[in-house]
Amino acid sequence: GESVGLHLPTLSVQEGDNSIINCAYSNSASDYFIWYKQESGKGPQFIIDIRSNMDKRQGQRVTVLLNKTVKHLSLQIAATQPGDSAVYFCAENMGPGQAGTALIFGKGTTLSVSS
Amino acid sequence: DVKVTQSSRYLVKRTGEKVFLECVQDMDHENMFWYRQDPGLGLRLIYFSYDVKMKEKGDIPEGYSVSREKKERFSLILESASTNQTSMYLCASSTGGRDRGYTFGSGTRLTVV
């Protein structure tokens, strides 16, 4: 698999490799984080979320890791497939109170999977 | 499935026109949001609403207003469209609370000429 530094805009991998997409978040008070996938011509779709009382959460072929010390979030995709090609966004909630219902999004990483 | 429906996929408007972008959700969600999406800038929050008739400014509210007269509908209004408002506009909704993901609509690509 290929590991990337903090927010590279693009990531290219071979089918079957593991992909790691990184994200740095901005708000120490954020306590909820989400990864979204956006395919061309579509709105973003929820992939996986994690709350700040957790370090790791696994879904189907995806794992999210949270490091609150350095305000870092990563998405790992196992056995990447061509259908995983998309733009991936991390998001954090905005802050306390009602404002926290809104999410702040990262700039996104475009994942390209070649066969 | 939760559905968030944006009334238009593509719109072309002239500079100075008043533009209405409509968004409707069918799952009784309390929260609704408008974002714009631009290459290299990601998604930026314009306005959101956590209840009927309630609205909060996001990061880039200038040049926009919103209306939420009914729970299921959240409208974004460009009072006088300008070319720098050419963008993809995304509407989203979520249930109440801070730890809730969004459901997004498919987006409206607005071109102002």
Side-chain angles (χ1 to χ4, degrees):
Chain A
E2 182 175 344
S3 178
V4 297
L6 292 182
H7 188 246
L8 290 185
T10 61
L11 172 62
S12 297
V13 300
Q14 293 285 323
E15 183 178 1
D17 283 355
N18 297 328
S19 303
I20 300 174
I21 302 172
N22 293 312
C23 177
Y25 64 91
S26 55
N27 188 352
S28 304
S30 294
D31 55 9
Y32 181 62
F33 306 88
I34 310 176
W35 281 98
Y36 284 90
K37 173 186 180 182
Q38 186 177 24
E39 297 174 286
S40 180
K42 297 182 179 180
Q45 291 184 296
F46 174 94
I47 302 173
I48 192 168
D49 60 0
I50 188 168
R51 292 177 175 76
S52 59
N53 61 353
M54 304 170 70
D55 297 322
K56 179 180 179 178
R57 190 162 187 227
Q58 288 184 291
Q60 188 176 12
R61 281 201 307 118
V62 295
T63 301
V64 55
L65 298 177
L66 175 63
N67 185 331
K68 296 181 286 295
T69 302
V70 294
K71 294 193 289 186
H72 182 253
L73 196 65
S74 69
L75 178 71
Q76 300 177 2
I77 305 173
T80 314
Q81 302 169 359
D84 294 327
S85 295
V87 180
Y88 290 82
F89 295 95
C90 64
E92 60 181 304
N93 59 2
M94 258 181 74
Q98 290 292 353
T101 59
L103 298 174
I104 300 173
F105 286 82
K107 290 187 170 47
T109 295
T110 299
L111 176 66
S112 299
V113 182
S114 52
S115 329
Chain B
D1 279 354
V2 176
K3 279 195 174 172
V4 177
T5 303
Q6 294 184 233
S7 54
S8 304
R9 288 300 302 271
Y10 300 95
L11 276 179
V12 180
K13 297 292 182 181
R14 295 193 180 278
T15 301
E17 276 193 77
K18 190 169 186 176
V19 181
F20 293 85
L21 302 183
E22 305 288 346
C23 176
V24 177
Q25 51 93 5
D26 65 0
M27 285 301 290
D28 202 35
H29 281 177
E30 285 82 4
N31 306 319
M32 297 188 75
F33 310 86
W34 276 105
Y35 287 81
R36 64 177 282 177
Q37 183 175 27
D38 300 288
L41 297 177
L43 283 76
R44 293 180 291 166
L45 180 64
I46 305 172
Y47 268 97
F48 67 103
S49 168
Y50 54 86
D51 201 353
V52 175
K53 297 190 185 294
M54 304 301 290
K55 60 184 179 183
E56 294 283 343
K57 292 180 180 179
D59 297 321
I60 52 164
E62 296 78 17
Y64 303 94
S65 62
V66 290
S67 173
R68 191 158 182 213
E69 296 296 318
K70 294 184 178 182
K71 192 174 186 180
E72 66 270 18
R73 185 180 297 270
F74 192 36
S75 303
L76 180 69
I77 303 155
L78 286 66
E79 296 291 342
S80 177
S82 63
T83 54
N84 63 13
Q85 292 178 310
T86 292
S87 186
M88 170 69 83
Y89 289 87
L90 288 164
C91 176
S93 72
S94 71
T95 59
R98 289 166 48 79
D99 56 351
R100 298 290 187 269
Y102 293 173
T103 299
F104 280 92
S106 297
T108 295
R109 184 164 293 284
L110 172 68
T111 302
V112 182
V113 298

